[in-house]
Amino acid sequence: MCGIIGFIGRTDAAPILIEGLKRLEYRGYDSSGIATISSAGKIEIRKEIGKIVELEKIIKHNPINGKIGIAHTRWATHGGATVTNAHPHIGQTGKITIVHNGIIENYATLKKHLEKEGREFTTETDSEVIVHLIERYYFDTDNQDDGSPLTRLEKAVSDTVKMLEGTFGIAVLCDEVPDTIIGARKGSPLVIGIGKDSMFIASDINAFVTYTKQVIYLDDNEIVTINRDTYQTKNFERAPVSKDIEEISWDVDEIGRAGYDHFMLKEICEQPDSVRNAFIGRLLYEQATAKLGGLKLSNKDILNIDRILITACGTALHAGMVGKYIIEQLAGIPVEVDFASEFRYRNPIIRPNTLVLAISQSGETADTLAALREAKQKGATVMGICNVVGSTIARECDGGVYVHAGPEIGVASTKAFTSQVTVMILLAIYFGRVRGLSRDIANKLMKEIEKLPGAIHAILDSKEKIKKVAVKYAGTKHAFFMGRNDQYPVALEGALKLKEISYIDANGYPAAEMKHGPIALIDEEHLTVALAPDSPLLEKMIANIQEIRARNGKIVTVTDTKNQMIEKLSDDVIKIPKVHPALKPILMALPMQLFAYYVAVAMECDVDQPRNLAKSVTVE
Ligand code: F6R
């Protein structure tokens, strides 16, 4: 999704803004642009479609100077990916420019009014209304006596944001206030970075983490005015709001590719550590339980839970689906899992003892955020399972658990999934223990959890073998992924990984569902990936594999057991180590990720920035 970076300091802004934009590339975008207030005191803008390198070429050809600027990566929603539609947008006086993340839902009405007043629009975007509104209020004669240009600009921004419906994170420059950037937020993240003799504003810490780790998170309905060495936060009514400065703990190294060809591969290979980080310090053998203090629930609260509702999107939803099996099994609490986007609009039944879990890597997904707000409004206790510390979802929940996977940059989520599932298992142990799970079962499972990093290492050590299998299927047109029980969500995740980075039409199914329709598609060209670990359902899985083989479909089976039938029926078999049954979804996810990765690389796809996708989906 769109990204924002703004900078004020003593050095030229353009190189810092370009570097920031590159750090935001992972979010997905199709055009970019930059605006500065030049040494001549004028707003200068450069924009281009395509990758940031294209913008760099434009700037090389036509340099842009100034020690203050804002920049943007755009992921097209309203209007095509064109230079005109790219941000920053400038008003008709040429004195004010803005960048915007989010969607202005009432833009058509606002645009009509503004056009009636004689304002001319040059883009197809919803965002352009923002700059026209700010300009209109800034130059409004009623606003002229209202103090300095800075006060007028602050008032104009505050009057504007109160007119906007939808979501926004904006950054504003005005050449009459050449040492100031104004930011405002509602529903789309903005964070301030306090540097040495410099200040940053961005939609995401990654954009400036090489310069400072001192940050201030803006909350919804807040405006910030930043200069080179000061900042002031206010609400939309312009009343001061005091904010804490927080120190982020990420290392700059953590967000580089560290010698890997792609972020996705780096993140797949980080899983021994990221999974360890999800459970380390949380296994309490004395009490035979998991420590998840951030949930802030008493034993009485846990005993009173009569239903858990998990809501999330995409990969995080699949992690929640795995969680359903283990929570129901260990804690005996009924669990429902729902797409966040559907949850919000279906009048979900929330009772006083319903616990809602919102799972999100980024903590900024608009649908998940809307679902949690809906649940809170209906009186539910809402817990967040997030990766990004300080993200909006993490902050808006009543409590929660950080998965501590570290920054995930590749658009296809990998390490966040295995960390989310690990936390689901810890949660099941914790709730289970309060509700009657035996010490023995809990302690045994916790000991097995500690073996996970080693088992993940073993799969990573065999990645060349998985690559050999994967490249055989590069170019496949259609693929099914099938699994039973808690392998079904892993099948969904395998299909999602493959389709999003290789554009192969891939779908996941519960294996038994195949004969209720999907099997009609099987022919000698069709690939099926069968998730068949050792389990009481293995024989049934083998029967499903046989049904595919009987129709001449190609089969890759992933298993942790030696089984002659599997060997005989499958074109290829990927072996993984044996672990405790409850942990198998975590291990089975690894071959899914590696398979998708190597297929996509063999097909020369842009693995880290697949077409049409965004890392952080901050619009509905
Ligand atoms: C798939 C993927 C997406 C996200 C989904 C939710 O690889 O990354 O499906 O899982 O957009 O994002 P978060 O977890 O940030 O809420």
Side-chain angles (χ1 to χ4, degrees), residues 5 214 231 374 619:
I5 164 86
Q214 307 271 313
Y231 65 90
E374 172 76 15
V619 294

Side-chain angles (χ1 to χ4, degrees), residues 313-316 359-365 368 393 408 411-413 420 493 496-497 500 614-617:
C313 305
T315 292
I359 308 178
S360 175
Q361 185 286 126
S362 62
E364 302 294 350
T365 302
T368 311
I393 292 175
E408 193 179 66
V411 166
S413 186
Q420 287 157 350
E493 179 57 11
L496 178 61
K497 287 292 86 87
E500 67 185 335
K615 181 67 184 162
S616 190
V617 186

Side-chain angles (χ1 to χ4, degrees), residues 458-477:
I459 298 178
L460 294 174
D461 287 346
S462 70
K463 65 180 186 303
E464 286 303 314
K465 281 192 199 154
I466 298 176
K467 180 178 176 181
K468 252 193 201 150
V469 176
V471 296
K472 281 171 62 177
Y473 299 97
T476 295
K477 294 274 179 287

Side-chain angles (χ1 to χ4, degrees), residues 439-454:
R439 283 185 71 87
D440 194 39
I441 292 179
N443 269 343
K444 267 196 191 134
L445 179 52
M446 292 199 296
K447 283 208 179 92
E448 296 297 320
I449 289 175
E450 293 209 73
K451 294 181 192 160
L452 272 173

